[in-house]
Every structure is written in structure tokens, then in C-alpha cells.
Amino acid sequence: MPKDHGIGASQKRREDVRFLTGAGQYTDDINVYGQTYCVFVRSDVAHGKIVSIDASAAEAMPGVLRIFTGKDFEGVGGLPCGWLITDKNGDPMKEPGHPVLAIGKVRHVGDPYAAVVAETLQEARDAAEAIVADIEELDPAVDMKAALASGAPLVHDDLTDNLCYDWQFGTDTETVDAAFAAAAHVTTLELVNNRLVANPMEPRVALGDYARANDESTLYTTSQNPHVIRLLMGAFVLGIPEHKLKVVAPDVGGGFGTKIFHYAEEAFVTFAARKLNRPVKWTSTRSEAFMSDAHGRDHVTKIELALDADNNFTAIRTDTLANMGAYLSTFSSSIPTWLHGTLMAGNYRTPAVQVNVKAVFTNTVPVDAYRGAGRPEATFQLERLVDKAARELGVDPVALRRQNFITSFPYATPVAVEYDTGNYVATMDKLEEMIDRKGFEARRAESKARGKLRGLGVNCYIEACGIAPSNLVGQLGARAGLYDAATVRVNATGSISVMVGAHSHGQGHETAFPQVVAEMLGIDESMIDIVHGDTSKIPFGMGTYGSRSLAVCGSAMVRATEKIINKAKKIAGHMLEASDADIELKDGQFTVAGTDKSVAWGDVTLAAYVPHNYPLEDIEPGLEETAFYDPSNFTYPSGAYACEVEVDPETGRVEILDFAAADDFGNVVNPMIVEGQVHGGIAQGVGQAMLESCIYDENGQLLSASYMDYAMPRAEDLPFFKVDHSCVTPCTHNPLGVKGCGEAGAIGSPPAVVNAVLDALNVGGIKVDHIDMPLSPHRVWAAMQG
């Protein structure tokens, strides 16, 4: 029988009540007395020299308080990058400045070079229109290969070229070359992982406030990690001591990675509020979001697979160009390296793996993490390659995968990670059952009778979540710890506030986290409240990204709750005149083992704060504990995905008929929330595979700058998903045995879709090796025409 409370129960998300009834409080809902409004003036050219900025007419307009340009930020720190990459020669990456407002040059369409602060939003908009900038347009570097060529326009004049770093990782070149030379078969594939715009439902917002009486600044912002923003902006950009800076991230309407990073707009409103002694608010328009939010993906890759005469994988080699855009965003440098290269072994026991990545500056919007962040890129190229190899060899693509699966754990890969648990055979077994693979050929024949081509695409994935441990990633260049923290505060009457470093913006923390604490204490979830998002209230935590919340912050919460239980047992022991070693806690009752003597949870918590009848002697009053948790390893969720499609050979239109996902997430706290996370990830992955693409022309103009040109997935584009997470191999190194689930759908779905379309075409008699995403009707039709 399904559980109705605690770990494993599919409880409805309690936070949805306020969201669905309009009671949520997002950053744009926050307004402060004396508030002013900010509008940024952004470059309409991709690359240009700022000759002059004439703001005289704008300054004289009604309501204008001040106009800022890059000159106002001379001496102010630029936006920092949070991860230093060392290239294959041992040299640090090139790290050009990223000013809050452009100084001297603009480097992408949307680069802000001036900002107006006025009494009303309309007055700020009117004044922004009146600013006249003389910008001498320069040739842009847009295409990555062209940007690396000799004589290419320099994105940053203080660099000698546009190469950020040339990184190599994994097996040594001599060994890899020997494996390819000895191979019985080599499969090669060149592909593009298309650039994407995250498009969370809520655009970014920043509101800066300043209290001159105590010299304290407050930033309200749409952030996934408020403590990280406070650290980066306070210490490295504006020089505000952390105890004089508060960052608040209230309800956030989706992030998908793009709200991890520290943005110029956050630093600007905080800076301007201090200068004007007035609150300053900025709310992004959707058009601004397209040209100022960090984009995702944008890799061009050549990948090769060597196999022996028995079709065993012997080596993998990749060469990737990764677009950084015009500036290094907060974690951009780590995405194509440590979050991508370390996953290139996939689910397979390949003895030699080498990853080569060149990161390139271009005159485009900066690129950083987007749901999956490096893991989707690795999975897509590897799983497309395995499918192509199976077709070249004339073998079943599922059988080829099964033959090369890792089956013994722990398993150390050639790319420096060690998988602690997994069962890839079990997830593939479950997947084949879910999709009725045995009945597929009959379905294919039925489609053929109607003049359609039906295809089935299958692939596997493995993900690394909860980046850790801090000392190791620090050696790899991370400029921050990757632990998390939780404080459990028990009130006198037994209710609990849990302050967590993670941030919830759709993950369901306010529901799932209480389920864990309630299970441990044997009390009802309604007695537990989750507090997050305000740096003045929560312990220093690293926020939410990379499917880390439950595995890392949840583990800190468990450790803090264990401390609570240990102290509560001591108090109960005093009350029951027994040793705390003999006290057992079950269903909210403390009992002396082997007796019927007990005391209730609420009586113990009251005694902790009002110890009149039970002197606690050497136990200090109160019941509040904090724990920090730094994982000893990543967690490694994995799975197998399948997509069934039908292609119209007359038009190239693809219809997704069925989609199935068999995932191993370790132990699951709330199955309903997990299922929802997978659904959302698949929808975004299908969006990338079928519809979405961020396009620049040769002049660096963003052609897909609105929903008129950037196709988002709609309900009609998606089938009902079959989702399963019954194949459980618990994580061995965190107390909950959990792995991550938030990004899996976006990782496993794109190759499943593309593999399905290519299966339909090739079995239908149309030889096509590869089609780059998105698989629009035109692209599919053009590939069919050769």
C-alpha cells in the first residue's frame, strides 16, 4: 500500500496552494517606499567602439534622477568567473574583464552601456530613448571556427586571440591513438549541440535598497543561490562587507540554470541604490531576457568510437568547440570541461577516453549552465555515436549497448570519476517492457501502410549530481565550496523551522524536505516549515543547481536532525530517569527500551526551553542545531529512454507518438514530485530536439529574439510520458541514499528523439547519418532529399 506520509509518500506540493491562488511573492511583487525604476540602454550592434554617449537631453527629462555609464564604474570590480580552468599546457584560462556597464567597447547585442534611473518606469523608458550613443561598428566574431582563425576580430583587445582555453582530459594521446590504430571498426560523427535560451516563466528582476543609517544594502533578486550572489557581488564587485549586505530570493518562477549566475543588473541596482539613497528596481522584459540571460549549450563536436572485432568499445575521442560568448559567466568555464568531459565514458566500460575542448570567445550573449549543464552535451554526442556505430555494423543498437554496459561497481572511469552504484541492465530491461519493443515492428508496418515512416530511438545516460567534494573541486579550479548547510530550530511547542541553504524554485522543497524530517522524528509534516532564500535567516549554503538539493542540502538537514534527536534523547532521559543510550524515538514518542515508560515529543521540546520540572544539569537549554555537509563523491543517477516517432515523408514533419523513461534515482522521497521533474525535463529535451534554436546571423544579430522566432514546445508537441523509477540502487555515500532527478529528463531525451527519427528514415530506405537539432520539418525533409 502506498505511504501517505514521510519518505516515499506522493504528497501534494504544499507550496502550490499559494502559487495557484495568486498568493506567491515574486521579486517583482516586492515594492519598497521611495522606489525608483531603472532601464538599461543596450547595444544594438554585436561589436563596436563606444566613441561617445550623449545623455544631456535625457538628463533634463522629467523624473530622471541620474544616468549612469561605464565611467561611473571605473574602479569597481567586474563580474567574476567562479571556476578557473587550467589548459592542457598548464596555463590558466584567459579571463578578460566583464564590466557592469560596457567601457570602451560593446561586445554583443544586448550589452548594456548606460542605465537610466527615474521616478517612474515610463519616465526611465522615455529618457533611455533620448540617449544618443556614437558607436563605431566593428567586424564581429560570431562563428567559433572563424573566431579562432588568424586575423579574426578580437572580442577583447587585451587578448591576442579569441581562445579562452585549450583543455585536454582523460587517457593519454599515445594510448588513445594506439587503440584507434588497432580498431577493427571506427565510427566518426560530427554534430552540433544547438544554442538554447532558458526562458523561465518569470523573467529576471532585481531590486536594490540601501539603509544609510546602518550602511546596509539589500538586494531582492530572482536567484537560485542567494549566498553565492552575496559573496560574489559583495566581495568581488562592489566591495560591500558581507555583514552589510543581505540578498533575498523570494518565490522564483523557474530557473533552469540561468538564474544561478551573478548578473550585471544585480550589481547595478545595488550600486545605484547606494549612490542615490533610494531603492532602484529593474524588471526584465522578455525581449531583454533573450539578449541578456545567459544562453545554454552551443557546442560543435567531432567524436570517434573505436571497436574491436567483437564490437567491444576500446576508445572514445572527442574534439569540441564550446562557445563562451562575449564574457565568462559565473560557471561557464566549467560546463564544457569538468561537467561534460568527466561524463564521456557514459554507461560503458571503455578503457580509453580522451576529451579535447577549445573554449571560444565570440560576440554573442555569454553561455553558461542550462538544465543538465554539460551532461546533456556529453550524452547526446555519445549516444548518437553508439547508434551510428550499430547501424554501420548492422547490429541491434540495444544489444550493442548491453554488450558494453558497466556491470560491476564501484567502477572507476578513464575520466576521473568513480560510479558507486548502478544497474544499467535493469533500467534497459524496464524500458523495453515499457515500450513493448517486441510489438514495435507491427506498429512500424501499420504506419507504413498509411504512408508514414515509424522509428524507435533508444539511448542510455548517466549523470553526475551534487558536485563534490569541495577540496577536490577546489583543486580543479572551483572558487567556491560545494557543500551545503541546514539549521533545524525546534520551537518550545514542538513545531520546527528548518533553514536551508538550498533554494526552491519549482523543486518542491517545502513539501519534500519536511517529509524527511517528519520521518526521522515521527511527527506530522504540518509541524515543519522550510525557510530559504534570505541570507539573513539561513546558514551559508550554495543554493540549488546540478540536481544537488536533496543529496547535499538534504543530507545536511539529516545530520542536523540527528543532532536534534541526540540532544532530545538526553532530555528525555532526564525526564524518564534513564540513560539516553536506552531511549528510543518512534512515532513522536521517546520510550525507555523494554519498558512502557515514555514521554511525548512536545513534552521534551517544552522541557528544552522551560526546564523547571526537569533540571537539565549539564545540558544547555534550547533545541537548535546546524550541520554542514560536504559530499565525498558525486551521485550518479542513470537510466534508459525511448522515443517512438512517425515521420511524414512528404513534408518531413515528425510526430512523437510515445516516450518512456526508466530512471534509477536511488531512494525517492516523493514519487509524485520526482515524476513531475522528469516530465518537465523531457519537455525541455524534446524542445531542444524538435523546436528550439538560438540563431545569430553573420553580423551578430540575434534572429531568434522573441517567441515569434524562437519555438517553444507546446502541449500538442508532446505525448503522454511513461515514467518509471522502480530500478533503485541507493547512493552509498549520503545518509538518504538519494541521487538527483531534476535534470535527467533533459539529458536523456534529445538523443532518444534524434535516434528515433533516424531509425525511421534509415529503415524506411532513406540513408541519413545525422541531422542536427532541432529536427524541424524543413531539416528532416532536406536530409531526406540528400
Side-chain angles (χ1 to χ4, degrees), residues 21 118 177 198 414 449 645:
T21 58
D177 288 348
V645 303

Side-chain angles (χ1 to χ4, degrees), residues 62-187:
V64 174
L65 298 172
R66 182 166 171 178
I67 294 173
F68 295 81
T69 66
K71 291 182 179 179
D72 295 292
F73 287 85
E74 291 178 350
V76 174
L79 306 184
C81 179
W83 204 301
L84 175 66
I85 296 299
T86 300
D87 73 12
K88 66 182 183 181
N89 299 313
D91 297 322
M93 68 186 187
K94 296 168 186 172
E95 201 167 356
H98 185 178
V100 175
L101 293 177
I103 301 173
K105 281 178 70 173
V106 289
R107 294 180 173 86
H108 66 86
V109 171
D111 203 1
Y113 59 84
V116 179
V117 179
E119 296 287 356
T120 70
L121 180 58
Q122 190 58 53
E123 287 170 336
R125 286 174 174 166
D126 291 343
E129 292 283 341
I131 293 175
V132 178
D134 180 6
I135 297 178
E136 178 187 329
E137 191 167 359
L138 304 172
D139 290 335
V142 181
D143 176 79
M144 285 190 283
K145 291 182 181 178
L148 292 178
S150 176
L154 292 177
V155 178
H156 295 274
D157 294 341
D158 54 336
L159 303 182
T160 57
D161 55 36
N162 293 315
L163 180 66
C164 178
Y165 56 76
D166 185 353
W167 186 78
Q168 185 180 92
F169 189 67
T171 310
D172 66 273
T173 300
E174 183 179 354
T175 301
V176 172
D177 288 348
F180 274 93
H185 182 85
V186 174
T187 294

Side-chain angles (χ1 to χ4, degrees), residues 371-387:
R371 196 170 191 168
R375 283 72 58 92
E377 294 91 317
T379 299
F380 182 71
Q381 50 189 277
L382 181 58
E383 290 299 312
R384 280 292 304 114
L385 182 71
V386 173
D387 235 52

Side-chain angles (χ1 to χ4, degrees), residues 491-510:
N491 300 310
T493 56
S495 63
I496 299 173
S497 293
V498 182
M499 284 71 76
V500 295
H503 186 279
S504 184
H505 42 276
Q507 291 82 4
H509 294 174
E510 293 176 43

Side-chain angles (χ1 to χ4, degrees), residues 276-290:
L276 299 172
N277 195 30
R278 295 274 300 278
V280 178
K281 186 176 189 177
W282 168 75
T283 300
S284 173
T285 65
R286 187 59 68 180
S287 296
E288 275 186 295
F290 271 92

Side-chain angles (χ1 to χ4, degrees), residues 281-422:
K281 186 176 189 177
W282 168 75
T283 300
S284 173
T285 65
R286 187 59 68 180
S287 296
E288 275 186 295
F290 271 92
M291 58 184 176
S292 64
D293 290 4
H295 294 170
R297 313 287 194 252
D298 205 351
H299 287 190
V300 176
T301 297
K302 177 182 177 182
I303 181 169
E304 300 167 282
L305 172 65
L307 302 95
D308 66 16
D310 295 320
N311 295 342
N312 297 308
F313 300 171
T314 60
I316 294 168
R317 180 168 55 203
T318 76
D319 285 281
T320 292
L321 296 181
N323 204 331
M324 296 289 99
Y327 303 103
L328 289 176
S329 180
T330 307
F331 291 116
S332 59
S333 56
S334 66
I335 306 306
T337 51
W338 299 114
L339 297 184
H340 158 255
T342 53
L343 271 297
M344 281 312 308
N347 306 65
Y348 310 111
R349 54 178 190 275
T350 310
V353 180
Q354 186 184 88
V355 183
N356 299 272
V357 178
K358 290 184 173 70
V360 187
F361 291 115
T362 62
N363 291 114
T364 62
V365 170
V367 179
D368 209 316
Y370 171 68
R371 196 170 191 168
R375 283 72 58 92
E377 294 91 317
T379 299
F380 182 71
Q381 50 189 277
L382 181 58
E383 290 299 312
R384 280 292 304 114
L385 182 71
V386 173
D387 235 52
K388 185 170 185 276
R391 186 163 292 116
E392 291 174 350
L393 293 166
V395 299
D396 176 25
V398 172
L400 182 61
R401 287 176 168 87
R402 286 180 178 274
Q403 175 181 336
N404 287 281
F405 276 159
I406 298 163
T407 56
S408 178
F409 296 88
Y411 179 84
T413 76
V415 279
V417 293
E418 183 175 281
Y419 306 158
D420 61 332
T421 60

Side-chain angles (χ1 to χ4, degrees), residues 256-257 297 370-373 375-376 461 463 465 506-507 509 544-550 635 637 641 663 665 673-685 739-748:
F256 313 125
R297 313 287 194 252
Y370 171 68
R371 196 170 191 168
R375 283 72 58 92
Y461 79 90
E463 182 185 3
C465 303
Q507 291 82 4
H509 294 174
T544 294
Y545 46 84
S547 302
R548 72 189 301 271
S549 295
L550 192 59
T635 68
Y641 282 26
D663 296 291
F665 295 136
I673 289 177
V674 167
E675 187 169 333
Q677 287 286 311
V678 175
H679 282 193
I682 293 172
Q684 285 183 287
K739 304 178 183 181
C741 73
E743 297 166 296
I747 295 169

